[in-house]
Amino acid sequence: MENENQKVGGGEDFVQNKPRKSLKRKLDSRDISAVLEDACSEPLDTLLKPAFPPLKKEKLADNTEIRKVPVPRHRYSPLKENWLKIFEPIVEYLKLQVRFNLKTRSVEIRTCKDTVDIQNLQKAADFVRAFILGFEVEDALALVRLDDIFLDSFQVTDVKMLKGDHLARAVGRVAGKGGTTKYTVENVTKTRIVLADSKIHILGSYQNIAIARRAICNLIMGSPPNKVYGTLRSVAARF
């Protein structure tokens, strides 16, 4: 025991280091009670009330609502050619005001004193948006005339992550030779389909959109067209 206490090499004795205290501050029971007292002192409504940022004003000064549909550059010419076909149903049937803003490059639709139903504003915006996405004016008019017509959009990469030639082949399988596969899916499901690069837009009823989307997803995943046709016929026969 004495040897252990002797100095080694003429140096000082070994000193055992004390364990460092943890830097984390432990919450005392007194602190907990103080926090609970502060929380209970505030009214319950303020504690449960979510703090959302203020919304932007969608109404103009004269209480008219407006919708803006941006127009990409490659749709300027089709919009100019079919402007009368788009203008007439919005103004005469829906009783709204419409114009094309050259500065913002968007179609602006707003209500007026002759507007009967405020829902017509959203119908007109969907109608213009469907035409901008590539649908014909006659097909897009179904969004105005019927209530159970919807528009669904998705990308090929949402179904399967493909790049380069694999992505091009997947789009080719959906279109088919000369567009035969796309036309077949449209006729069987009673929908309208637009292929815009890797984006796919479907116009139709909710049930028919689901059938067409399932068929397109099978084509993207690599199923042969004949198998997809058989599945479509069996599903369409039920309705």
Coordinates of all heavy atoms in Angstrom, one line a residue, residues 145-221:
R145 N -70.9 22.2 -68.9 CA -72.3 21.7 -69.0 C -72.7 20.7 -68.0 O -73.8 20.6 -67.6 CB -72.5 21.2 -70.4 CG -72.3 22.2 -71.5 CD -72.4 21.5 -72.9 NE -72.2 22.5 -74.0 CZ -72.1 22.2 -75.3 NH1 -72.0 20.9 -75.6 NH2 -72.0 23.1 -76.2
L146 N -71.7 19.9 -67.6 CA -72.0 18.8 -66.6 C -71.3 19.0 -65.3 O -70.2 19.7 -65.2 CB -71.5 17.4 -67.2 CG -72.1 17.1 -68.6 CD1 -71.5 15.8 -69.1 CD2 -73.6 16.9 -68.5
D147 N -71.9 18.5 -64.3 CA -71.4 18.7 -62.9 C -70.4 17.6 -62.5 O -69.6 17.7 -61.5 CB -72.5 18.8 -61.9 CG -73.3 20.1 -62.1 OD1 -72.7 21.1 -62.6 OD2 -74.5 20.1 -61.7
D148 N -70.5 16.4 -63.1 CA -69.8 15.2 -62.6 C -68.6 14.9 -63.5 O -68.1 13.8 -63.6 CB -70.7 14.0 -62.5 CG -71.3 13.7 -63.9 OD1 -71.3 14.5 -64.7 OD2 -71.8 12.5 -64.0
I149 N -68.0 16.0 -64.2 CA -66.9 15.8 -65.0 C -65.7 16.5 -64.3 O -65.8 17.6 -63.8 CB -67.1 16.5 -66.4 CG1 -68.2 15.8 -67.1 CG2 -65.8 16.4 -67.2 CD1 -68.0 14.3 -67.4
F150 N -64.5 15.7 -64.2 CA -63.4 16.2 -63.5 C -62.1 16.1 -64.4 O -62.2 15.5 -65.5 CB -63.2 15.4 -62.2 CG -64.4 15.4 -61.3 CD1 -65.3 14.4 -61.4 CD2 -64.6 16.4 -60.4 CE1 -66.4 14.3 -60.5 CE2 -65.7 16.4 -59.6 CZ -66.6 15.4 -59.6
L151 N -61.1 16.7 -63.9 CA -59.8 16.7 -64.6 C -58.7 16.2 -63.7 O -58.6 16.7 -62.6 CB -59.5 18.2 -65.1 CG -58.2 18.3 -65.9 CD1 -58.2 17.6 -67.2 CD2 -58.0 19.8 -66.2
D152 N -58.0 15.2 -64.2 CA -56.9 14.6 -63.3 C -55.6 14.6 -64.1 O -55.6 14.4 -65.3 CB -57.3 13.1 -63.0 CG -56.3 12.5 -62.0 OD1 -55.6 13.3 -61.3 OD2 -56.3 11.3 -61.9
S153 N -54.5 15.0 -63.4 CA -53.2 15.1 -64.1 C -52.2 14.3 -63.2 O -52.3 14.4 -62.0 CB -52.8 16.5 -64.2 OG -53.8 17.2 -65.0
F154 N -51.3 13.7 -63.9 CA -50.2 13.0 -63.2 C -49.0 12.9 -64.1 O -49.2 13.1 -65.4 CB -50.6 11.7 -62.5 CG -51.0 10.6 -63.5 CD1 -50.1 9.7 -64.0 CD2 -52.2 10.6 -64.1 CE1 -50.4 8.7 -64.9 CE2 -52.6 9.6 -65.0 CZ -51.7 8.7 -65.4
Q155 N -47.9 12.5 -63.6 CA -46.7 12.3 -64.4 C -46.3 10.8 -64.5 O -46.6 10.1 -63.6 CB -45.5 13.1 -63.9 CG -45.7 14.6 -64.0 CD -44.4 15.4 -63.6 OE1 -43.4 14.8 -63.3 NE2 -44.5 16.7 -63.6
V156 N -45.6 10.5 -65.5 CA -45.1 9.1 -65.7 C -44.2 8.7 -64.6 O -44.3 7.6 -64.1 CB -44.5 8.9 -67.1 CG1 -43.9 7.5 -67.2 CG2 -45.4 9.2 -68.2
T157 N -43.4 9.6 -64.1 CA -42.4 9.3 -63.0 C -43.1 9.1 -61.7 O -42.5 8.6 -60.8 CB -41.4 10.5 -62.9 OG1 -42.1 11.7 -62.8 CG2 -40.5 10.5 -64.2
D158 N -44.4 9.5 -61.6 CA -45.1 9.3 -60.4 C -45.5 7.8 -60.2 O -45.6 7.3 -59.1 CB -46.4 10.1 -60.3 CG -46.2 11.6 -60.2 OD1 -45.0 11.9 -59.8 OD2 -47.0 12.4 -60.6
V159 N -45.6 7.1 -61.4 CA -45.9 5.7 -61.4 C -44.6 4.9 -61.2 O -44.6 3.9 -60.4 CB -46.7 5.3 -62.7 CG1 -47.0 3.8 -62.7 CG2 -47.9 6.2 -62.8
K160 N -43.6 5.2 -62.0 CA -42.3 4.5 -62.0 C -41.2 5.5 -62.3 O -41.4 6.2 -63.3 CB -42.4 3.3 -63.0 CG -41.2 2.4 -62.9 CD -41.4 1.2 -63.9 CE -40.2 0.2 -63.8 NZ -40.4 -0.9 -64.7
M161 N -40.2 5.4 -61.6 CA -39.0 6.3 -61.8 C -38.3 5.9 -63.0 O -37.5 4.9 -63.0 CB -38.1 6.4 -60.6 CG -38.7 7.1 -59.4 SD -39.1 8.8 -59.8 CE -37.5 9.5 -60.2
L162 N -38.5 6.6 -64.1 CA -37.8 6.2 -65.4 C -37.1 7.5 -65.9 O -37.5 8.6 -65.7 CB -38.9 5.8 -66.4 CG -39.7 4.5 -66.1 CD1 -40.8 4.3 -67.1 CD2 -38.8 3.3 -66.0
K163 N -36.0 7.2 -66.7 CA -35.2 8.3 -67.2 C -34.8 7.9 -68.6 O -34.6 6.7 -69.0 CB -34.0 8.6 -66.4 CG -34.3 9.1 -65.0 CD -33.0 9.3 -64.2 CE -33.3 9.8 -62.8 NZ -32.1 10.1 -62.0
G164 N -34.5 8.9 -69.4 CA -33.9 8.7 -70.8 C -34.8 7.9 -71.7 O -36.0 8.2 -71.8
D165 N -34.2 6.9 -72.3 CA -34.9 6.1 -73.3 C -36.0 5.3 -72.6 O -37.1 5.0 -73.2 CB -34.0 5.1 -74.0 CG -33.0 5.9 -74.9 OD1 -33.3 7.0 -75.2 OD2 -31.9 5.3 -75.2
H166 N -35.9 4.9 -71.4 CA -36.9 4.1 -70.7 C -38.2 4.9 -70.5 O -39.3 4.4 -70.7 CB -36.4 3.7 -69.3 CG -35.2 2.8 -69.3 ND1 -35.2 1.5 -69.8 CD2 -33.9 3.0 -69.1 CE1 -34.0 0.9 -69.7 NE2 -33.2 1.9 -69.3
L167 N -38.0 6.2 -70.2 CA -39.2 7.1 -70.1 C -39.8 7.3 -71.5 O -41.1 7.3 -71.5 CB -38.7 8.5 -69.6 CG -39.8 9.6 -69.4 CD1 -40.9 9.1 -68.4 CD2 -39.2 10.9 -68.9
A168 N -39.1 7.4 -72.5 CA -39.6 7.6 -73.8 C -40.4 6.4 -74.3 O -41.5 6.5 -74.9 CB -38.5 7.9 -74.8
R169 N -39.9 5.2 -73.9 CA -40.6 4.0 -74.3 C -41.9 3.8 -73.5 O -42.9 3.3 -74.1 CB -39.7 2.7 -74.0 CG -38.6 2.5 -75.1 CD -38.0 1.2 -74.9 NE -37.1 1.1 -73.8 CZ -35.8 1.4 -73.8 NH1 -35.2 1.8 -74.9 NH2 -35.1 1.4 -72.7
A170 N -41.9 4.3 -72.3 CA -43.1 4.2 -71.5 C -44.2 5.1 -72.1 O -45.4 4.7 -72.2 CB -42.8 4.6 -70.0
V171 N -43.8 6.3 -72.5 CA -44.8 7.2 -73.1 C -45.2 6.6 -74.5 O -46.4 6.7 -74.8 CB -44.1 8.6 -73.3 CG1 -45.1 9.5 -74.1 CG2 -43.8 9.2 -72.0
G172 N -44.3 5.9 -75.2 CA -44.7 5.3 -76.4 C -45.7 4.2 -76.2 O -46.6 3.9 -77.1
R173 N -45.5 3.4 -75.1 CA -46.5 2.3 -74.9 C -47.9 2.9 -74.6 O -48.9 2.3 -75.0 CB -46.0 1.5 -73.7 CG -44.9 0.6 -74.0 CD -44.7 -0.5 -72.9 NE -44.4 0.1 -71.6 CZ -43.1 0.4 -71.2 NH1 -42.1 0.1 -72.0 NH2 -42.9 0.9 -70.0
V174 N -47.9 4.0 -73.9 CA -49.2 4.6 -73.6 C -49.9 5.2 -74.9 O -51.1 5.0 -75.1 CB -49.1 5.8 -72.6 CG1 -50.4 6.5 -72.3 CG2 -48.6 5.2 -71.3
A175 N -49.1 5.8 -75.8 CA -49.7 6.3 -77.0 C -50.0 5.2 -78.0 O -51.1 5.2 -78.6 CB -48.7 7.3 -77.6
G176 N -49.1 4.3 -78.2 CA -49.3 3.2 -79.2 C -48.9 3.7 -80.6 O -48.6 4.9 -80.8
K177 N -48.9 2.8 -81.5 CA -48.6 3.2 -82.9 C -49.7 4.0 -83.5 O -50.8 3.6 -83.7 CB -48.4 1.9 -83.7 CG -47.8 2.2 -85.1 CD -47.6 0.9 -85.9 CE -47.1 1.2 -87.3 NZ -46.8 -0.1 -88.0
G178 N -49.3 5.3 -83.8 CA -50.3 6.2 -84.4 C -51.3 6.6 -83.4 O -52.4 7.1 -83.8
G179 N -51.1 6.4 -82.1 CA -52.1 6.8 -81.1 C -53.2 5.8 -80.9 O -54.2 6.1 -80.3
T180 N -53.0 4.6 -81.4 CA -54.1 3.6 -81.4 C -54.4 3.2 -79.9 O -55.6 3.0 -79.5 CB -53.8 2.3 -82.2 OG1 -52.5 1.9 -81.7 CG2 -53.7 2.7 -83.6
T181 N -53.4 3.0 -79.1 CA -53.6 2.6 -77.7 C -54.3 3.7 -76.9 O -55.3 3.4 -76.2 CB -52.2 2.3 -77.0 OG1 -51.5 1.3 -77.8 CG2 -52.5 1.8 -75.6
K182 N -53.9 4.9 -77.1 CA -54.6 6.0 -76.4 C -56.1 6.1 -76.8 O -57.0 6.3 -76.0 CB -53.9 7.3 -76.7 CG -54.4 8.5 -76.0 CD -53.6 9.8 -76.2 CE -53.9 10.4 -77.6 NZ -55.2 11.1 -77.6
Y183 N -56.3 6.0 -78.1 CA -57.7 6.1 -78.6 C -58.6 4.9 -78.1 O -59.7 5.1 -77.8 CB -57.7 6.1 -80.2 CG -57.1 7.3 -80.8 CD1 -56.4 7.2 -81.9 CD2 -57.2 8.6 -80.2 CE1 -55.8 8.3 -82.5 CE2 -56.6 9.7 -80.7 CZ -55.9 9.6 -81.9 OH -55.3 10.7 -82.4
T184 N -58.0 3.8 -78.0 CA -58.7 2.6 -77.5 C -59.1 2.8 -76.0 O -60.2 2.6 -75.6 CB -57.9 1.3 -77.6 OG1 -57.5 1.2 -79.0 CG2 -58.7 0.1 -77.2
V185 N -58.2 3.3 -75.2 CA -58.4 3.6 -73.8 C -59.5 4.7 -73.7 O -60.4 4.6 -72.8 CB -57.2 4.0 -73.1 CG1 -57.5 4.4 -71.6 CG2 -56.1 2.8 -73.1
E186 N -59.4 5.7 -74.5 CA -60.4 6.7 -74.5 C -61.8 6.2 -74.8 O -62.8 6.6 -74.2 CB -60.1 7.9 -75.5 CG -58.9 8.7 -75.0 CD -58.6 9.8 -76.0 OE1 -59.0 9.6 -77.2 OE2 -57.9 10.8 -75.7
N187 N -61.9 5.4 -75.9 CA -63.2 4.9 -76.3 C -63.9 4.0 -75.3 O -65.1 4.0 -75.1 CB -63.1 4.3 -77.7 CG -62.7 5.3 -78.8 OD1 -63.0 6.5 -78.7 ND2 -62.0 4.8 -79.8
V188 N -63.0 3.1 -74.7 CA -63.6 2.1 -73.8 C -64.0 2.8 -72.5 O -65.1 2.5 -71.9 CB -62.6 1.0 -73.5 CG1 -63.0 0.0 -72.4 CG2 -62.3 0.2 -74.8
T189 N -63.2 3.7 -72.0 CA -63.5 4.3 -70.7 C -64.3 5.6 -70.8 O -64.7 6.2 -69.8 CB -62.2 4.7 -70.0 OG1 -61.4 5.6 -70.8 CG2 -61.4 3.4 -69.7
K190 N -64.6 6.0 -72.1 CA -65.4 7.3 -72.3 C -64.7 8.5 -71.6 O -65.4 9.2 -70.9 CB -66.8 7.1 -71.8 CG -67.6 6.0 -72.5 CD -69.0 5.8 -71.9 CE -69.7 4.6 -72.6 NZ -71.0 4.4 -72.1
T191 N -63.5 8.6 -71.9 CA -62.7 9.7 -71.3 C -61.9 10.4 -72.5 O -62.0 9.9 -73.6 CB -61.7 9.3 -70.2 OG1 -60.8 8.3 -70.8 CG2 -62.4 8.7 -69.0
R192 N -61.2 11.5 -72.2 CA -60.3 12.1 -73.1 C -59.0 12.2 -72.4 O -58.9 12.6 -71.2 CB -60.8 13.5 -73.5 CG -62.0 13.5 -74.4 CD -61.7 12.9 -75.7 NE -62.9 12.8 -76.6 CZ -63.6 11.7 -76.7 NH1 -63.3 10.6 -76.0 NH2 -64.7 11.7 -77.5
I193 N -57.9 11.9 -73.2 CA -56.5 11.8 -72.6 C -55.6 12.7 -73.4 O -55.7 12.7 -74.7 CB -56.0 10.3 -72.6 CG1 -56.9 9.4 -71.8 CG2 -54.6 10.3 -72.1 CD1 -56.6 8.0 -71.9
V194 N -54.8 13.4 -72.8 CA -53.8 14.3 -73.4 C -52.4 13.8 -72.9 O -52.2 13.8 -71.7 CB -54.0 15.8 -73.1 CG1 -52.8 16.6 -73.6 CG2 -55.3 16.2 -73.9
L195 N -51.5 13.5 -73.8 CA -50.1 13.2 -73.5 C -49.2 14.4 -73.8 O -49.1 14.8 -75.0 CB -49.6 12.0 -74.3 CG -50.4 10.7 -74.1 CD1 -49.8 9.6 -75.0 CD2 -50.3 10.2 -72.6
A196 N -48.7 15.1 -72.8 CA -47.9 16.2 -72.9 C -46.5 15.9 -72.3 O -46.3 16.1 -71.1 CB -48.5 17.5 -72.3
D197 N -45.6 15.5 -73.2 CA -44.3 15.0 -72.7 C -44.4 13.9 -71.7 O -45.0 12.9 -72.0 CB -43.5 16.2 -72.1 CG -42.0 16.0 -72.0 OD1 -41.6 14.9 -72.6 OD2 -41.3 16.7 -71.4
S198 N -44.0 14.1 -70.5 CA -44.1 13.0 -69.5 C -45.4 13.2 -68.6 O -45.6 12.5 -67.6 CB -42.9 13.0 -68.6 OG -42.7 14.2 -67.9
K199 N -46.2 14.2 -68.9 CA -47.4 14.5 -68.1 C -48.6 13.9 -68.9 O -48.7 13.9 -70.1 CB -47.6 16.0 -67.9 CG -46.6 16.6 -67.0 CD -46.9 18.1 -66.8 CE -45.8 18.8 -65.9 NZ -46.1 20.2 -65.7
I200 N -49.6 13.4 -68.1 CA -50.8 12.8 -68.6 C -52.0 13.4 -68.0 O -52.1 13.5 -66.8 CB -50.8 11.3 -68.4 CG1 -49.6 10.6 -69.1 CG2 -52.1 10.6 -68.9 CD1 -49.4 9.1 -68.8
H201 N -52.9 13.9 -68.8 CA -54.1 14.6 -68.3 C -55.3 13.8 -68.8 O -55.4 13.4 -70.0 CB -54.2 16.0 -68.9 CG -53.0 16.8 -68.7 ND1 -52.5 17.3 -67.4 CD2 -52.0 17.2 -69.6 CE1 -51.4 17.9 -67.6 NE2 -51.1 17.9 -68.9
I202 N -56.3 13.5 -67.9 CA -57.4 12.7 -68.2 C -58.7 13.5 -67.8 O -58.8 14.1 -66.7 CB -57.4 11.4 -67.4 CG1 -56.1 10.6 -67.6 CG2 -58.6 10.5 -67.8 CD1 -56.0 9.4 -66.7
L203 N -59.6 13.6 -68.7 CA -60.9 14.3 -68.6 C -62.0 13.3 -68.6 O -62.2 12.6 -69.6 CB -61.0 15.4 -69.6 CG -62.3 16.3 -69.6 CD1 -62.3 17.2 -68.4 CD2 -62.4 17.1 -70.9
G204 N -62.9 13.3 -67.6 CA -64.0 12.4 -67.6 C -64.7 12.4 -66.2 O -64.4 13.2 -65.3
S205 N -65.6 11.4 -66.0 CA -66.2 11.2 -64.7 C -65.2 10.6 -63.8 O -64.2 10.0 -64.2 CB -67.5 10.4 -64.9 OG -67.1 9.1 -65.3
Y206 N -65.5 10.6 -62.5 CA -64.6 10.1 -61.5 C -64.3 8.6 -61.7 O -63.2 8.2 -61.6 CB -65.2 10.4 -60.1 CG -64.3 9.9 -59.0 CD1 -63.2 10.6 -58.5 CD2 -64.6 8.7 -58.3 CE1 -62.4 10.2 -57.5 CE2 -63.8 8.2 -57.3 CZ -62.7 9.0 -56.9 OH -61.9 8.5 -55.9
Q207 N -65.4 7.9 -61.9 CA -65.2 6.4 -62.1 C -64.5 6.1 -63.3 O -63.6 5.2 -63.3 CB -66.6 5.8 -62.1 CG -66.6 4.3 -61.9 CD -68.0 3.7 -61.8 OE1 -69.0 4.3 -62.2 NE2 -68.2 2.6 -61.1
N208 N -64.7 6.8 -64.4 CA -64.0 6.5 -65.7 C -62.6 6.9 -65.6 O -61.7 6.3 -66.2 CB -64.8 7.2 -66.8 CG -66.1 6.6 -67.1 OD1 -66.4 5.5 -66.7 ND2 -67.0 7.4 -67.8
I209 N -62.3 8.0 -64.9 CA -60.9 8.4 -64.8 C -60.1 7.4 -64.0 O -59.0 7.1 -64.4 CB -60.9 9.8 -64.0 CG1 -61.3 10.9 -65.0 CG2 -59.4 10.1 -63.5 CD1 -61.4 12.3 -64.3
A210 N -60.7 6.8 -63.0 CA -60.0 5.7 -62.2 C -59.7 4.5 -63.1 O -58.6 3.9 -63.0 CB -60.9 5.3 -61.0
I211 N -60.6 4.1 -64.0 CA -60.4 3.0 -64.9 C -59.3 3.3 -65.9 O -58.4 2.5 -66.1 CB -61.7 2.6 -65.6 CG1 -62.8 2.2 -64.6 CG2 -61.4 1.5 -66.6 CD1 -64.1 1.9 -65.2
A212 N -59.4 4.5 -66.5 CA -58.4 4.9 -67.5 C -57.0 5.0 -66.8 O -56.0 4.6 -67.4 CB -58.8 6.2 -68.1
R213 N -56.9 5.6 -65.6 CA -55.6 5.8 -65.0 C -55.0 4.4 -64.6 O -53.8 4.2 -64.8 CB -55.8 6.6 -63.7 CG -54.5 6.8 -63.0 CD -54.7 7.9 -61.9 NE -53.4 8.2 -61.3 CZ -53.2 9.3 -60.6 NH1 -54.1 10.2 -60.5 NH2 -52.0 9.4 -60.0
R214 N -55.8 3.5 -64.2 CA -55.3 2.1 -63.9 C -54.7 1.5 -65.1 O -53.7 0.8 -65.1 CB -56.4 1.3 -63.3 CG -55.9 -0.1 -62.7 CD -57.0 -0.8 -62.0 NE -57.6 -0.1 -60.9 CZ -58.8 0.4 -60.9 NH1 -59.6 0.3 -61.9 NH2 -59.2 1.0 -59.8
A215 N -55.4 1.6 -66.3 CA -54.9 1.1 -67.5 C -53.6 1.7 -68.0 O -52.7 1.0 -68.4 CB -56.0 1.2 -68.6
I216 N -53.5 3.0 -67.8 CA -52.3 3.7 -68.2 C -51.2 3.4 -67.3 O -50.0 3.2 -67.8 CB -52.6 5.3 -68.2 CG1 -53.6 5.6 -69.3 CG2 -51.3 6.0 -68.4 CD1 -54.0 7.1 -69.2
C217 N -51.4 3.2 -66.0 CA -50.4 2.8 -65.1 C -49.8 1.4 -65.4 O -48.6 1.1 -65.3 CB -50.9 2.8 -63.7 SG -51.2 4.5 -63.0
N218 N -50.7 0.5 -65.8 CA -50.3 -0.8 -66.2 C -49.4 -0.8 -67.5 O -48.4 -1.5 -67.6 CB -51.5 -1.7 -66.5 CG -52.3 -2.1 -65.2 OD1 -51.7 -2.0 -64.1 ND2 -53.5 -2.4 -65.3
L219 N -49.8 0.1 -68.4 CA -48.9 0.3 -69.6 C -47.6 0.8 -69.3 O -46.6 0.4 -69.8 CB -49.6 1.2 -70.6 CG -50.9 0.6 -71.3 CD1 -51.6 1.7 -72.1 CD2 -50.5 -0.5 -72.2
I220 N -47.5 1.8 -68.3 CA -46.2 2.3 -67.9 C -45.4 1.3 -67.2 O -44.1 1.3 -67.4 CB -46.5 3.5 -67.0 CG1 -47.2 4.7 -67.8 CG2 -45.2 4.0 -66.4 CD1 -47.6 5.8 -66.9
M221 N -46.0 0.4 -66.5 CA -45.2 -0.6 -65.7 C -44.7 -1.7 -66.7 O -43.9 -2.5 -66.3 CB -46.1 -1.2 -64.6 CG -46.5 -0.2 -63.5 SD -45.0 0.4 -62.6 CE -44.5 -1.1 -61.8

